[in-house]
Amino acid sequence: MDSKDSSGKIFVVDFGGQTAHLITRRLKELGIESELIDPDDAYKVCIKDRPQGLIFSGGPASVYEKGAPSISPKIFDLGIPVLGICYGWQIMAHLLGGKVESGNKEYGPTNLEITDFKNLFYGLPAKTKVIESHGDTVKKMPKGFVSVAETESVKFAGVKNDLNHFYGVQFHPEA
């Protein structure tokens, strides 16, 4: 077998956001081995190295923009848990059949109201402040996802698909 044992490693897929390196640093501060990878190489790298999980970073693009960074949809068939942050959640929703639209621009702190604490928000208070920085938002979730948190203007600010271990947030927990 020529693949490395990356069973404890989390790969952070860098979609060009300013905080992709911060996500990796935060993971390392928690004692979690992590590595930044390019979205164009992610599928190949995941097949070879089989990480414990993936985090899709934020990014400045719109999923519908010509030349916007994307990832092979086959990545979702590998059985690897995925957390999408901001653009990462939007690209996940888009590739899995959801709908992303421009609007509901939010920049800076906002209030998040959590309605489900199993898995994604375990141990957090029902209301908390988060940092958002986005111009697009998911307007229709992909099949199998449920909303577990929202802000005043974003209905799907925290979502999960427990069956496939896919999660998304429209804010920046790393900030």
Side-chain angles (χ1 to χ4, degrees):
M1 184 170 171
D2 65 352
S3 74
K4 294 186 256 176
D5 178 13
S6 297
S7 59
K9 186 182 275 189
I10 302 292
F11 288 158
V12 178
V13 181
D14 185 356
F15 285 104
Q18 296 175 345
T19 61
H21 291 279
L22 180 58
I23 296 167
T24 305
R25 189 177 88 211
R26 294 274 193 239
L27 289 168
K28 288 177 181 175
E29 287 170 357
L30 293 169
I32 300 166
E33 189 178 355
S34 61
E35 180 181 330
L36 273 178
I37 61 173
D38 187 270
D40 293 333
D41 301 329
Y43 181 71
K44 251 187 333 195
V45 170
C46 286
I47 291 218
K48 180 178 173 257
D49 293 343
R50 301 303 292 185
Q52 183 175 345
L54 292 169
I55 297 176
F56 291 179
S57 82
S62 172
V63 297
Y64 298 114
E65 203 173 277
K66 184 178 174 135
S70 193
I71 194 164
S72 171
K74 295 187 291 186
I75 199 111
F76 301 110
D77 298 329
L78 297 177
I80 300 170
V82 179
L83 169 64
I85 297 175
C86 198
Y87 180 86
W89 158 225
Q90 294 166 15
I91 195 68
M92 181 186 326
H94 173 66
L95 293 173
L96 292 173
K99 185 172 183 174
V100 178
E101 292 181 0
S102 185
N104 291 3
K105 295 178 184 345
E106 289 186 305
Y107 300 97
T110 191
N111 296 308
L112 180 75
E113 189 166 332
I114 302 168
T115 57
D116 182 329
F117 299 90
K118 188 177 173 193
N119 297 332
L120 187 60
F121 294 117
Y122 179 79
L124 293 179
K127 293 183 181 184
T128 189
K129 284 235 187 266
V130 295
I131 301 294
E132 295 200 322
S133 176
H134 63 92
D136 291 352
T137 191
V138 176
K139 291 293 188 174
K140 178 184 168 222
M141 290 187 292
K143 191 175 195 172
F145 281 80
V146 294
S147 179
V148 295
E150 60 185 54
T151 67
E152 293 93 10
S153 62
V154 177
K155 186 175 179 182
F156 307 129
V159 301
K160 67 179 186 172
N161 177 325
D162 281 335
L163 179 64
N164 294 311
H165 305 287
F166 297 155
Y167 305 90
V169 294
Q170 189 56 67
F171 57 90
H172 290 275
E174 73 278 13

